[in-house]
Amino acid sequence: MASGGRRWLRGLWAVGQPLFQGRALLVTNTLGCGALMGAGGSMFAVGCSMGPFLHYWYLWLDHLLPASGLRGLPNVLRKVLIDQLVASPMLGVWYFLGLGCLEGQTLDESCQELRDKFWEFYKADWCVWPAAQLVNFLFVPSQFRVTYINGLTLGWDTYLSYLKYR
């Protein structure tokens, strides 16, 4: 990379670094979730509502099961399992009920859609997220965890949209 490009990246990092520290991290995580789901319209509101949950969820997991690198692999695997058994189903429910509400469905209609589609969602979730979370918990610094997940969510949201609207 040319030296001008490196200077530009260093400048960009210097400007963006405060967004991943302290109190600004919650705002960064919240708006990041919302913005990446924003292309779907009402998905923006659902994404923004998930941002604070994910922010505090990862803080709690890191506090509960501290892990660093490969030496922390047993705790990393526990985090992945807890994430899959607790957060993933909860976020799936959140997605279907939240979007249903924003799109004018009754609670009964949203719950029926959830019953119809949940197991398909959850099986696909197990195919994607354990590996993604393994990378997240092993290699991604804690302040970047939600941003990393947001990047992967671009593809995942395409699947969720397909599942919801087919």
Side-chain angles (χ1 to χ4, degrees):
M1 177 183 290
S3 65
R6 279 191 294 265
R7 272 196 316 270
W8 183 82
L9 284 175
R10 275 194 304 266
L12 184 61
W13 173 248
V15 168
Q17 191 172 7
L19 296 174
F20 292 93
Q21 298 173 352
R23 292 180 188 206
L25 183 58
L26 174 60
V27 174
T28 300
N29 289 336
T30 299
L31 294 178
C33 284
L36 289 171
M37 290 182 84
S42 56
M43 287 180 76
F44 175 77
V46 173
C48 280
S49 70
M50 289 177 177
F53 169 78
L54 290 171
H55 174 84
Y56 289 111
W57 173 251
Y58 291 136
L59 288 175
W60 179 78
L61 276 178
D62 287 340
H63 177 74
L64 179 69
L65 297 164
S68 180
L70 292 175
R71 283 189 286 149
L73 188 58
N75 274 356
V76 166
L77 294 174
R78 287 181 190 102
K79 284 182 188 183
V80 170
L81 184 62
I82 291 169
D83 188 71
Q84 280 304 119
L85 294 175
V86 177
S88 288
M90 192 164 76
L91 290 168
V93 169
W94 197 328
Y95 173 81
F96 283 103
L97 295 184
L99 271 180
C101 175
L102 290 170
E103 293 174 348
Q105 287 181 335
T106 66
L107 183 57
D108 286 340
E109 290 170 330
S110 293
C111 287
Q112 183 58 50
E113 180 180 34
L114 179 62
R115 281 190 292 275
D116 293 343
K117 298 177 180 177
F118 179 80
W119 289 111
E120 185 176 351
F121 151 79
Y122 198 46
K123 286 187 284 185
D125 189 278
W126 272 93
C127 293
V128 173
W129 290 108
Q133 292 294 41
L134 187 64
V135 169
N136 195 15
F137 297 135
L138 274 175
F139 304 114
V140 177
S142 61
Q143 71 267 29
F144 299 116
R145 291 217 169 112
V146 175
T147 301
Y148 163 79
I149 290 303
N150 286 341
L152 298 178
T153 296
L154 286 171
W156 182 246
D157 289 345
T158 302
Y159 167 73
L160 288 180
S161 250
Y162 161 77
L163 182 61
K164 177 152 179 57
Y165 299 110
R166 70 173 177 207

